Amino acid sequence: MNYVKTAMLIAFMTALFMGVGFLIGGRGGMLIAFGVAVVMNLFSYWNADKLVLKMHGARQVDAQSAPGFYRMVEQLSQNAGLPMPKVYIMENDQPNAFATGRNPENAAVAATTGLLRQLDERELAGVMAHELAHVQNRDTLIMTITATLAGAISMLANFAFFFGGNRGNNPLGIIGMLAAMIVAPLAAMIVQMAISRTREYAADRRGAEISGDPLALASALQRIARGAEAIPNDNAERNPATAHMFIINPLNGQRMDSLFSTHPATANRIAALKEMASGMGGGSGLSSGRAAQDSIHKGGARVPTGAGRRGPWA
């Protein structure tokens, strides 16, 4: 089903891209736009993950350089039935994380040093499980392609604004030019953001299933949202097209669950996770693996050792 959704999304965004080309340059512009869209999609499929990681200064770590963090991702990957992804750390004080890669076999997860310092074991596991859920749902491929095409549509719109396009080949005249400059980029942005928002809810749910601890993920979301409001992320500010990839919007602390928000309202996501935890009978603690073995019981609830500390992975 995810392959079908991806194909439909690519087809829609490509058609929109071609439509902008047609409005600017007629049939010739449409054919050129189609060729550009094909090249961009192929490039995004094979190289976008590397570019995103480089944009944010991510460095790869392994079991020797970051043993605790690496083993946690390894255990969560086993819980999810996923291949072990590459693991990266970004030198950034803002607590945040994202996943990238064209498929589970070529995936990567990245966390900031701020996230590793500020979250405890359960919260960090919830966040990384959320990112693995994006990998499992193939969201990373979908969002990379939509971001690429949405950026290209905006680029064409800017071209129409500054150069006016080829009005002789534009069958709709000034109306067509206005549509190319305003309506098409707006439609692309709406599609991109609406899909991103929907997939965050799905990743929250699946991530909570992978970690077995919806309340820990809810706590992490609240902590990350506060950190994103207070601590700037310079790399994200320089590359705003990647903002939708993070678990919480790194550009600002948006609270409104509006159509133009790259992420759902954090309060709504927390409420959904609490409802899920209630249905699971509380849902506190990792469900299996090393984290479960390292847990202790307090008042009947499973709590990992060190849950009361901040940042055991820094």
Side-chain angles (χ1 to χ4, degrees), residues 7-8 101 105 150 154 159 164 172 176 212 229 238 264:
M8 292 176 61
E105 291 72 31
S154 297
F159 178 85
L172 299 181
E229 291 178 0
R238 286 192 293 266

Side-chain angles (χ1 to χ4, degrees), residues 134-308:
H134 277 308
V135 172
Q136 192 168 55
N137 295 338
R138 312 265 176 166
D139 296 341
T140 51
L141 172 62
I142 293 174
M143 294 313 303
T144 296
I145 291 175
T146 54
T148 301
L149 287 176
I153 290 171
S154 297
M155 178 186 67
L156 279 184
N158 290 334
F159 178 85
F161 177 79
F162 286 109
F163 299 100
N166 189 342
R167 291 186 175 86
N169 292 329
N170 184 351
L172 299 181
I174 188 64
I175 295 177
M177 293 306 301
L178 290 174
M181 290 186 290
I182 301 173
V183 178
L186 183 61
M189 183 177 65
I190 289 173
V191 171
Q192 180 187 8
M193 293 182 177
I195 290 173
S196 176
R197 290 167 63 242
T198 301
R199 291 185 176 277
E200 287 303 318
Y201 282 119
D204 283 345
R205 183 165 194 77
R206 178 57 185 147
E209 292 172 351
I210 293 171
S211 68
D213 198 344
L215 294 181
L217 178 54
S219 175
L221 290 176
Q222 187 173 52
R223 192 178 299 278
I224 295 170
R226 290 174 180 171
E229 291 178 0
I231 304 171
N233 186 327
D234 293 335
N235 286 330
E237 295 291 345
R238 286 192 293 266
N239 303 282
T242 64
H244 65 280
M245 299 179 66
F246 287 81
I247 189 170
I248 291 290
N249 187 354
L251 303 180
N252 54 58
Q254 290 178 327
R255 296 177 180 271
M256 296 183 63
D257 200 2
S258 68
L259 185 62
F260 299 100
S261 171
T262 58
H263 292 68
T266 303
N268 292 350
R269 296 170 68 182
I270 291 173
L273 287 166
K274 287 183 176 180
E275 183 178 355
M276 181 181 178
S278 178
M280 293 172 62
S284 59
L286 297 176
S287 58
S288 63
R290 180 182 300 273
Q293 296 171 1
D294 291 344
S295 299
I296 59 174
H297 287 80
K298 292 184 179 180
R302 189 184 295 271
V303 182
T305 58

